[in-house]
Every structure is written in C-alpha cells, then in structure tokens.
Amino acid sequence: MSQPPSITLRVPEDTESNGQEPSPDSEGALHTSFQQLIQEQSSLMEASLKLEMQERGRETPAHLPPPDFCAIGSPGQGEQHLGYSSTSLQILATMPSRTIGRSRGAIISQFYNRTARLRHRSSRPPLHQLCRVARTSFWQYDLENDPDRATLEDKRRLLVKELLSLSPSQRSHMLLTVPLSLAEKHFLRQELSRQRGPLGQHTQHRTPSYPCGGSKDYIVLGLRCLWYRLLTLLPAAQPWHYSLKEISGRFGSSVLSYFVFLKTLLMFNIFPFLILLVFVVALQAAYPPASATPQPFTGLELLTGAGYFTHSLLYYGYYSNITLNDPCASSPNSSMCPLAAPWLPYNMSLAYVFSVGISFLVTCILLVYSMSRSFGESYRVGSSTGDVAVKVFCAWDFKVIQRHSVKLQCENIYTQLKVQQDQQARGSSQRQQEAILLVLPFVVSLLNVLMPHLYNLLALWEKQDLPVTQLYVAICRNLILKMAVLGLLCYQWLSRRVVCSTAECWETCVGQDLYRFVVMDFIFTLLDTLFGELVWRLILEKRLKRKQRPEFDIARNVLELIYGQTLTWLGVLFAPLLPAVQTLKLLLLFYIKKTSLMQNCQSPSKPWQASHMRLVFVSLLCFPCFLGAAVFLSYTIWSVRPSETCGPFQGLETIYKSGKTWVQVLEKSSPNITWFTWVHQHLVESPFLLFVVSAVLLAVIYFNIQVVRGQRRIICLLKEQIAKEGEDKIFLIQKLHSVYEYRERHA
Amino acid sequence: QDCTFFTRKEILRLHGRYYEMAPNVVPMDYTKDPDVKLPMQLIINMPELKENPFKERIVESFSEGGEGSLSFNDFVDMFSVLSEMAPRELKAIYAFKIYDFNTDNFICKSDLEQTLNKLTREELTAEEITLVCEKVIEEADMDGDGKLGFADFENMISKAPDFLSTFHIRI
C-alpha cells in the first residue's frame, strides 16, 4: 500500500535537488529554519485528512468532522499551504503514524511481524529491535514476505500461519492483546481451530472459558482454567464484588484501595489459619490431654481471653508435648507397655513448630510476591511525578459513577490544575482481677486512636507545600508510634516482668495478652468509626450547619489494619487460633466500615495515587511488621526457655531443640539417612550458608541496579533519537513536496 | 470467551445487561450469531457510563465504523478492555482513540481543549486552557510536530502507574 518515496520518486537529473542539498556548513541554519516549517507542516497535515479517509473507505463521510486546523504558536504564521499536489498528500496519508488502530490491515500486518519476531527472537532482543511497544507501523526489517503489498485476506492468512506456529499460551496472549474488534478475533480463532485439524475439533466440542488446547502447555493452562473456575465458586468473592463496585462508584479508586487491602489481608490470614487448623488444632482436639478441669464459662472471657479460655484450644498451654496417637505415652505406667509403637506417630511439638514455621514461610512468599507485583506496576524507570500531561490524561477515575461524586471529581481536577498553574507562574474476687488485665490494652489502643488525630491537627498547623508530603509524614509518624508501642510490648513479654494469672505457663499468658490486644483494637476501631465518622457528621450537620461530611482517612485506617495484622503475626506462636480471630474481625470490619462509609463520609479531597499507595502499604506490611514479627518469633524459638509444665515444648531447653532431638532420634533409628543429618548439621546450623546466601543476594541486587542504570541511559538516548527522527521526517516531507512542486511547475 | 478477559459466567451476566437495555430487540439466543446493534443513546444511559464525560467517545471507539452503535461483540469488547485484567498496552491504544476527538490519529490542541473542558466542566478560562494545553504538548511531544502521536501518548502513560487503576470500569 505505501511505498517508500525512494522507489516512486524519479528525481530529475538536473541540479535543482543538488542546489538544495545542505552542505555541512549550512546544516545548522537549515535545522533552525525547519522549526518554522514544522509549525506550517502541522497545519498542512490536516488537509490530507479528507484524502486519507476517502482512501480508507471505512469511515462514513457524514460523520467526518471538518479538517481541524490546529494553529500552534504565533497566529502570524497562519498561512495554509494547501497547494501541495494530491500525490504527495496521498503519500502522506499512508504514513505509518496515521494508520494506528484505524485500518485492520495495518494491525494485522503489525501483529504478524510481532509474532514472527517472537518466534525468531533469543532471550534478549538486540538494541535496534527494542520497539516492543504496540505501535502499528509498516516499517519492518523483515522485507522478504513484504506484507505491505498483500490484501487484507492475505494478511489474515499470514497472521494465522504465524499464530499456529506459536505455543498455545503465547497464542492466547497474542489473541487477547491484539486491538481488533471481537468479531475479527472470533474469525481468527475459527481459522486457527479449523487449520489445527482434528486437534482443533477436539477443543471445539468443549466450551472452555480459556483455551485449553492439547500441547505441552496444557498443564499450565489447565491449572489456570481450574483456578478461575474455583474463584467463581468462591461465595465470598461474589457479594463483595457488588459492595466494592458500590464503594468505587461513589468514592473512587482511593477509598477502594483500603477495602481491597482489607480483602488482601483476609487472604493472608486464611492460609495460616488453615494450616494450623489442619495440622495442630484439629488433631489436638481429637486427642485432648487429661489435664485440669475447665473453669465455668462467663461472658467476660470473650474480652479478656482468660478464664474458660485459658485451658482451651485457643492457647499454647493446652497443647501436649507427646506423640499423639501413642497410647503408651499418656498412660502412667510407661514402663509396662505391651503395645508396639503406632504406625504413624504424630509428634505434637514438631507439628506445632513446623506448622507455625510453614505458615510464616507461606505468608512471606505471598507478601514478597504481592510486593514485587505492585512494585512492577508502580515503578517506572525514569518516571517523574507532577506532570501536567499525566494529570490531564490519567486523573479521571472511570470507576466513579454517582453524579455527585463525578461533580466532586471535576472540581478536584479543576483545583489541582489551577494550583499547579499558580505554582508555576511564580505535595476478678477473680472477675475483678481479670477485668484489671484489660487496662494495658485499653491504654495502648487509646493511644493508637488518639495520636493520629493529633498528628492530623499538627499537619494542619504545619502547612506542607505538597499534599503528598503531608501524607507521607502522617504515615511515618503513625508508623513510628505503632512500632514503638509494639517494640516495648515485645520486650515486656519476653522478659516476663508482667505478672500472669497462671504464673507457670507464661506462653499462655502472653497469648492471652495478645488476644486482649486484638480484641481491644477491634473495639477501638469500632468506637473510632462511630465517633470519628457518625458523631462528627451529626455535629457538622446539626450544630455547625456545614454541608461537608467528614472524610475517610485512608492512611490512618490502613495503618490500623497493618497494626492488627502485626499483632496477629506476633501471637501466632502463642495462640494458634489467633488468625481465625483476626479473620472474623476483618470480616466484621469490612461490613461495618462499608456501612459507615456510605452513611457518613465523603470522598477524599486530596489527590491520591492508588497504585503507588498500594506499593507503600504492602511494603510497610512486609518490612517493619512482618520482619519484626519474624525476628521476634525467631528469637523466641532460638533462645527463650519454654515453661516446664505446659505446652508442646515442656522440659526442653529451647523450642528449637525439639527439631534437633528429632533429627538425633532419626539418626539413631535408621542409620540409612545419615545424609539428612549431615545436611541438617552443615547447612542449617552453620553460619557458612548464611554468608553465601547473603553474598549471592547482594550480587543479584547490584546487578539489577546496574541494569536499571543502563536502562535509564538507553531511555535518554532513545528520546534524543526520536527528536532527531522527527526532524528528519519533516525534512524529507519538505523535500518531497518541493520535488513534486518542481515537477508540476515544469510539467 | 477466550478472546476477552472475562469468564463464561461474566459474559453471560454481560449478556443479561445487554438484553435488559432493549428486551424486545436483543435475542436471548446468540448461537446463530444475529446481527443486532444497540444505538448509542441506549448504551450511554447505562449507570456505569451515564455520568462519565467521555461516554460518547468511549462508545464510538468500540463500535464498528465509529458511529456509535454497538453489537454484543463490541459491547463485550468494550468492557473487556476496560476491565482490570486488560494489559497496559491494550488500554493505552483505546485510551488514545477515546481522547482523539477528531479521529485523525493525533491528539492535537483542539482535542486537548475538548478533553480539558469535559474534565473540568468548562470551569477553566480560555487562557488557562491554552496554558495547560501548551504545557501538555511541551511535556509529552517528543518528535517535535506539535501534537501527540500514539508513541508520545504511550510514553506518557507509561510514566503514570495509576493509569491501570483509573482506566477501569467495573461491571
């Protein structure tokens, strides 16, 4: 369709063009003079619109807007050069930059070349082929097939042929990402399945949601099918879909990010809960220890976690340190035991420590994966914030659908643009004792609730320049407060200065303390929602007669969620059912917060970068909180002496010793697996491995930093190149026009 | 179903929504691939699109021939691209089409002015609009032709990590 000008142009032999050849001396002058021509050119290009549309024949002429002459720069240059010949306009109209997304043929041939390149390409494409971005352009390096000359049908055939040669996952990815209409995609898919022959018929009989074809990628695709089917079966996902839609419709993406974060935390809690349930709790419930009689149940236990709950599945003290299904171990006459050892001995202490370890490992993996994903979404090499262009194109939140919220959004955008412009023109007897135990959690939660409000007042007084800085400062302050409080509490628990109700089983005591903290935190969140939002709104409306409702403070709420989650992680070792409590709490919190949000709040007026914030929240969750909890846990397992009379690690020096004794027992019982003990001794226990792993990690980090640096440099170079290419283009067009003009004049 | 980002259940739900808009025209049975198109007026009255200032442009970009009536395929296509799972490049292509009001494959100054007017409901004065337009072109235009081509637009979008989350309609 389009032909490079060098082929059709029959440049006359005389010196007209020679005279216009820029000599190296005058090239500078020539370039500056082209700046003027650029502006003339842009107005000229609109004239070729009509011609292009007629040629394409896709757009009905009735709907064409009249060619829009964008007058850029000084109005003095408004002279329209409409006198250029029709052939040169024709050539202009077929320029690659005009055909983006317009003609089907262009898209098909571009994707044909993309798939061809995908097939031929090695792991890292060379620099000159770095144009992986979806731009429809006719210029390809692969001229042997020359798809430009083919008709639409031929192009389709070529594309189908290429797609057939790809693997199914790549094929489905290509199908999904090609910007054609759905009818076209249906046609392509039918062509593909038709040409795949008997194998294709097999897939046509089924109706899968995703292509599950027969090839070596079948397993991956099959798993993905299964996963999506499971997701649709999840009952919890369905009702929340509509709630989330409602929330985002009224309040936008920013507030939605809080609720999505809550949902993510729920997921983080369900996994350890299930692991602990299956391996620890259920089995201990099936083999209850013959221990002290339980105390009667009163209502206060739900708050304090003591009393009836002390000797129950909720806490560490209940769990036994024996092999569960071995009847010899629990009977008093252990010397006279005629029965043989059981078939599948279940050692409770090992199970306990491994379950806790594995749940932490799973949480760690999930966190790191989630963090890397949000990092990939939110970090761009060479990105800069505060661009007006970005604000114009990306500020509109398409999720907002309520009229009032839309109006608010318009006002927000207006305010932001105006502010930016101004800135430029010149971011218990026994019950009483139990009740007293509530005092410390009460004080801590009160502190956690009041201090953020104080920080907000402080921020008002400080008057930061950018609202973004204000936000970060607020998050930092709240985080430091919470970390300080938690650090002190951890120290207190580990040093055992607190007087527990059962002085001998200190782990249960600590577990109870943590349970109380979690419950208190929940109550205070409820109270804060009640007073901070409901009552405040009533005060604003009735007393002060202002139309404004209180805002939903996203940062504060998210930090509260993170704090609650940290408490859960700290307490998992001492109270295995704590993730279940946290799950319940999060479920209730979702509905309460949503109700309060709908009734009382208005959308936030400060700008909010949703995906960047997601990264910040998840990394806050990971780094201080999870790592801190992991450090606390590791210290407890390695160095702290468990109590003598209760729990699965009774009588051992440290919890870690249970693993070591098991390894020794294994060694004694079956001498064939000495390699396992050797591995354990040399890899797990020695610090050598740790050094090696740290060194490798550092090397990988350094390598990645260098790669990022190199990419930044490449981006700068490419930008310069693009600017130069633009100038080249203008120059060539000018040349073209002048040649045609000359020919016409002398025809 | 495998050409979009939706599961089977969601496509059936979408069909329900499409049907509700015009029950007497849209057939329940799509196996014979009927040729039914709903006019733009019906579609832009959907609650998800009603208050959106770009609703006409959105519907036009996804329709065959650019005149605004959507068949069911186009309807599904539209919500598939606007869903969470569509990749950034695909969304960028359609966003470019949406913001290009005069469909000349460039976002020129008049397109920008129209965009700004729709965004701020015409509250900015003419000089402010001109200033903002000039600043946008200055920041985003890389090859110096005075308007934004698709490459410039995509480069700018890639610097905005929020694009994926804001260019998203839940259905």
Side-chain angles (χ1 to χ4, degrees):
Chain A
M1 227 184 230
S2 92
Q3 287 151 349
S6 54
I7 297 177
T8 57
L9 216 55
R10 273 177 298 126
V11 180
E13 298 295 272
D14 52 3
T15 57
E16 179 61 56
S17 46
N18 284 340
Q20 289 184 348
E21 274 313 311
S23 65
D25 301 320
S26 60
E27 205 169 277
L30 215 61
H31 267 273
T32 50
S33 73
F34 276 129
Q35 291 301 318
Q36 283 185 352
L37 283 169
I38 286 170
Q39 295 178 2
E40 288 167 14
Q41 277 309 318
S42 43
S43 52
L44 164 73
M45 276 166 199
E46 300 318 307
S48 57
L49 223 193
K50 229 180 216 168
L51 204 63
E52 178 191 8
M53 294 307 165
Q54 282 169 7
E55 225 184 68
R56 292 272 168 254
R58 265 171 60 90
E59 326 275 341
T60 56
H63 288 269
L64 262 189
D68 217 348
F69 296 111
C70 311
I72 303 172
S74 51
Q77 291 209 356
E79 230 182 285
Q80 318 290 340
H81 293 264
L82 290 176
Y84 286 111
S85 66
S86 56
T87 25
S88 52
L89 288 175
Q90 198 174 349
I91 291 181
L92 270 184
T94 58
M95 269 204 316
S97 52
R98 310 300 185 89
T99 56
I100 288 166
R102 291 292 151 193
S103 101
R104 247 182 255 160
I107 298 178
I108 288 179
S109 29
Q110 190 256 342
F111 270 82
Y112 159 72
N113 282 297
R114 236 216 214 168
T115 51
R117 223 181 298 140
L118 201 64
R119 229 164 25 95
H120 296 306
R121 147 173 108 171
S122 56
S123 58
R124 216 175 241 277
L127 194 61
H128 68 274
Q129 277 184 9
L130 213 53
C131 45
R132 293 188 294 146
V133 180
R135 272 176 290 133
T136 53
S137 161
F138 278 93
W139 302 111
Q140 299 301 336
Y141 302 105
D142 180 19
L143 285 173
E144 60 204 50
N145 284 330
D146 201 0
D148 308 343
R149 300 186 192 258
T151 61
L152 194 64
E153 283 306 315
D154 295 336
K155 284 177 190 162
R156 268 202 202 122
R157 266 192 304 110
L158 284 171
L159 181 64
V160 167
K161 197 173 71 161
E162 272 303 321
L163 280 178
L164 276 176
S165 53
L166 290 177
S167 69
S169 59
Q170 277 179 330
R171 197 185 307 156
S172 61
H173 181 70
M174 272 290 162
L175 261 185
L176 282 175
T177 52
V178 69
L180 291 171
S181 72
L182 203 57
E184 273 290 323
K185 289 192 201 180
H186 273 318
F187 183 78
L188 279 174
R189 195 164 72 83
Q190 278 168 13
E191 276 289 316
L192 278 174
S193 47
R194 193 171 59 83
Q195 288 201 12
R196 275 203 344 241
L199 214 61
Q201 278 183 6
H202 181 60
T203 53
Q204 264 174 8
H205 288 311
R206 284 189 278 156
T207 52
S209 318
Y210 281 81
C212 308
S215 80
K216 61 185 171 181
D217 290 306
Y218 176 67
I219 296 172
V220 171
L221 289 172
L223 278 177
R224 198 150 53 113
C225 286
L226 201 66
W227 174 243
Y228 282 124
R229 288 207 186 108
L230 269 179
L231 271 185
T232 55
L233 287 176
L234 261 183
Q238 276 295 350
W240 282 13
H241 175 78
Y242 288 110
S243 311
L244 289 177
K245 186 176 163 186
E246 227 181 318
I247 294 173
S248 65
R250 230 175 101 177
F251 294 96
S253 309
S254 44
V255 173
L256 185 72
S257 64
Y258 168 77
F259 287 90
V260 167
F261 187 66
L262 203 150
K263 211 166 128 182
T264 324
L265 274 185
L266 197 73
M267 264 258 300
F268 278 166
N269 274 307
I270 284 181
F271 279 121
F273 167 57
L274 284 175
I275 292 176
L276 283 170
L277 183 75
V278 168
F279 289 107
V280 172
V281 175
L283 286 162
Q284 187 69 60
Y287 292 92
S291 56
T293 54
Q295 304 173 12
F297 182 83
T298 61
L300 198 57
E301 269 88 25
L302 286 172
L303 268 185
T304 60
Y308 176 71
F309 281 160
T310 315
H311 296 287
S312 69
L313 279 169
L314 190 55
Y315 295 118
Y316 174 98
Y318 187 76
Y319 295 87
S320 42
N321 67 335
I322 49 173
T323 313
L324 277 181
N325 46 5
D326 190 354
C328 292
S330 48
S331 68
N333 313 336
S334 49
S335 54
M336 305 169 27
C337 204
L339 294 164
W343 167 65
L344 198 66
Y346 197 82
N347 193 337
M348 196 58 193
S349 10
L350 275 178
Y352 197 93
V353 73
F354 279 144
S355 312
V356 170
I358 287 174
S359 62
F360 257 76
L361 195 69
V362 164
T363 314
C364 186
I365 292 172
L366 282 175
L367 261 183
V368 169
Y369 172 72
S370 164
M371 204 167 69
S372 65
R373 241 192 14 179
S374 15
F375 192 75
E377 273 172 18
S378 90
Y379 178 74
R380 294 273 175 258
V381 176
S383 71
S384 55
T385 52
D387 276 348
V388 176
V390 164
K391 215 173 278 264
V392 166
F393 288 117
C394 305
W396 184 262
D397 192 356
F398 280 71
K399 288 202 272 278
V400 176
I401 52 187
Q402 297 260 350
R403 177 173 304 202
H404 180 69
S405 314
V406 162
K407 189 154 168 287
L408 216 65
Q409 212 182 73
C410 291
E411 283 171 11
N412 272 346
I413 293 179
Y414 167 67
T415 322
Q416 282 174 42
L417 286 173
K418 247 194 129 63
V419 161
Q420 221 173 31
Q421 284 208 334
D422 291 339
Q423 275 182 352
Q424 277 161 17
R426 4 168 213 135
S428 143
S429 50
Q430 198 164 30
R431 285 191 69 165
Q432 263 190 345
Q433 269 190 333
E434 274 189 22
I436 288 174
L437 292 171
L438 284 174
V439 170
L440 182 64
F442 183 86
V443 168
V444 168
S445 297
L446 195 68
L447 205 70
N448 275 329
V449 159
L450 287 182
M451 289 302 283
H453 289 290
L454 242 143
Y455 290 145
N456 281 343
L457 284 175
L458 208 67
L460 278 174
W461 182 64
E462 277 175 359
K463 285 202 196 13
Q464 299 277 358
D465 287 328
L466 295 169
V468 183
T469 326
Q470 208 177 34
L471 188 67
Y472 281 137
V473 164
I475 290 181
C476 279
R477 283 185 179 139
N478 283 318
L479 193 69
I480 290 175
L481 168 74
K482 292 187 159 67
M483 291 303 117
V485 166
L486 281 176
L488 282 172
L489 285 172
C490 286
Y491 176 72
Q492 185 203 43
W493 285 321
L494 284 182
S495 63
R496 276 171 277 168
R497 291 207 189 130
V498 63
V499 175
C500 295
S501 53
T502 46
E504 294 192 342
C505 198
W506 64 269
E507 288 99 344
T508 308
C509 193
V510 171
Q512 283 173 352
D513 231 1
L514 274 159
Y515 175 84
R516 281 190 285 266
F517 270 93
V518 167
V519 169
M520 259 308 146
D521 183 49
F522 179 56
I523 292 175
F524 267 86
T525 315
L526 285 178
L527 284 176
D528 185 37
T529 314
L530 194 69
F531 284 108
E533 292 172 8
L534 178 66
V535 172
W536 191 238
R537 169 179 79 104
L538 290 172
I539 290 178
L540 279 179
E541 279 184 3
K542 305 278 162 55
R543 282 300 216 67
L544 302 176
K545 297 264 191 285
R546 268 191 274 173
K547 273 291 181 87
Q548 261 191 342
R549 289 169 155 202
E551 270 183 29
F552 187 78
D553 193 351
I554 302 169
R556 191 167 52 88
N557 281 303
V558 171
L559 283 176
E560 272 174 25
L561 280 180
I562 293 178
Y563 171 71
Q565 188 61 42
T566 319
L567 284 175
T568 312
W569 279 332
L570 285 173
V572 152
L573 185 66
F574 304 108
L577 281 179
L578 209 55
V581 173
Q582 172 79 349
T583 311
L584 202 68
K585 174 180 148 191
L586 285 175
L587 277 169
L588 286 173
L589 207 62
F590 183 90
Y591 291 108
I592 293 169
K593 281 277 175 189
K594 176 176 171 256
T595 324
S596 158
L597 182 76
M598 290 297 172
Q599 304 291 331
N600 304 332
C601 296
Q602 68 172 21
S603 31
S605 60
K606 296 192 275 255
W608 183 269
Q609 294 167 303
S611 74
H612 193 56
M613 281 298 126
R614 192 184 135 86
L615 171 69
V616 167
F617 293 148
V618 175
S619 36
L620 280 180
L621 197 62
C622 189
F623 282 122
C625 306
F626 183 76
L627 275 182
V631 162
F632 176 71
L633 197 73
S634 321
Y635 178 72
T636 315
I637 290 183
W638 248 275
S639 317
V640 174
R641 194 189 177 86
S643 53
E644 299 280 327
T645 52
C646 65
F649 305 108
Q650 301 165 11
L652 293 172
E653 253 181 60
T654 63
I655 300 178
Y656 184 65
K657 283 279 190 305
S658 62
K660 270 176 97 162
T661 42
W662 175 59
V663 169
Q664 283 168 3
V665 162
L666 214 65
E667 208 183 282
K668 270 183 248 168
S669 61
S670 37
N672 294 338
I673 35 176
T674 41
W675 59 270
F676 187 73
T677 53
W678 180 86
V679 158
H680 180 256
Q681 195 185 347
H682 287 270
L683 289 183
V684 174
E685 293 211 337
S686 74
F688 175 67
L689 184 73
L690 222 60
F691 283 130
V692 167
V693 166
S694 324
V696 166
L697 207 64
L698 281 173
V700 166
I701 291 174
Y702 175 73
F703 173 73
N704 280 319
I705 291 178
Q706 291 300 99
V707 164
V708 164
R709 239 189 241 165
Q711 283 179 345
R712 274 210 194 106
R713 184 123 173 76
I714 287 178
I715 287 176
C716 283
L717 288 172
L718 285 174
K719 269 197 194 148
E720 280 174 30
Q721 191 170 347
I722 290 175
K724 291 209 178 82
E725 297 283 340
E727 287 176 17
D728 279 351
K729 186 172 88 174
I730 304 294
F731 173 74
L732 286 172
I733 290 172
Q734 198 52 24
K735 259 299 209 175
L736 183 71
H737 286 312
S738 63
V739 167
Y740 271 108
E741 235 183 35
Y742 175 75
R743 280 177 68 201
E744 274 178 22
R745 237 181 287 136
H746 294 259
Chain B
Q1 287 148 7
D2 46 348
C3 303
T4 68
F5 295 96
F6 287 128
T7 61
R8 184 186 168 76
K9 205 170 177 183
E10 287 167 348
I11 293 182
L12 290 172
R13 196 154 48 93
L14 275 174
H15 182 247
R17 294 293 302 270
Y18 192 70
Y19 179 75
E20 293 170 9
M21 286 199 283
N24 44 350
V25 175
V26 175
M28 280 302 278
D29 180 16
Y30 256 81
T31 47
K32 293 176 199 65
D33 211 9
D35 186 19
V36 173
K37 287 192 177 201
L38 290 187
M40 194 187 336
Q41 283 311 313
L42 273 182
I43 299 185
I44 58 182
N45 276 328
M46 282 181 73
E48 286 86 0
L49 287 178
K50 201 156 69 151
E51 300 294 333
N52 197 321
F54 298 107
K55 53 188 180 234
E56 295 98 357
R57 277 305 302 156
I58 295 176
V59 175
E60 277 167 12
S61 319
F62 285 96
S63 60
E64 289 270 341
E67 24 86 37
S69 58
L70 297 183
S71 68
F72 182 60
N73 278 334
D74 300 329
F75 186 74
V76 171
D77 207 12
M78 175 167 77
F79 283 108
S80 159
V81 169
L82 286 168
S83 74
E84 288 184 295
M85 291 159 288
R88 184 178 275 257
E89 296 90 17
L90 197 59
K91 287 198 186 206
I93 293 175
Y94 283 101
F96 185 73
K97 280 197 206 176
I98 289 174
Y99 288 127
D100 181 12
F101 283 84
N102 52 6
T103 56
D104 61 345
N105 269 323
F106 285 103
I107 295 184
C108 68
K109 197 146 178 262
S110 71
D111 293 331
L112 277 176
E113 282 173 14
Q114 279 186 291
T115 309
L116 276 171
N117 277 327
K118 284 198 189 272
L119 277 179
T120 58
R121 290 196 181 190
E122 297 173 17
E123 290 205 1
L124 288 173
T125 64
E127 307 150 2
E128 286 166 348
I129 290 186
T130 326
L131 273 173
V132 173
C133 290
E134 280 174 10
K135 190 97 202 340
V136 168
I137 292 182
E138 188 192 305
E139 280 173 0
D141 189 16
M142 283 196 298
D143 52 5
D145 58 355
K147 20 187 201 183
L148 305 184
F150 180 67
D152 305 324
F153 183 76
E154 195 173 5
N155 180 46
M156 189 188 45
I157 290 292
S158 70
K159 291 196 215 165
D162 287 328
F163 177 66
L164 275 177
S165 60
T166 52
F167 196 70
H168 163 43
I169 295 185
R170 268 180 196 263
I171 178 111

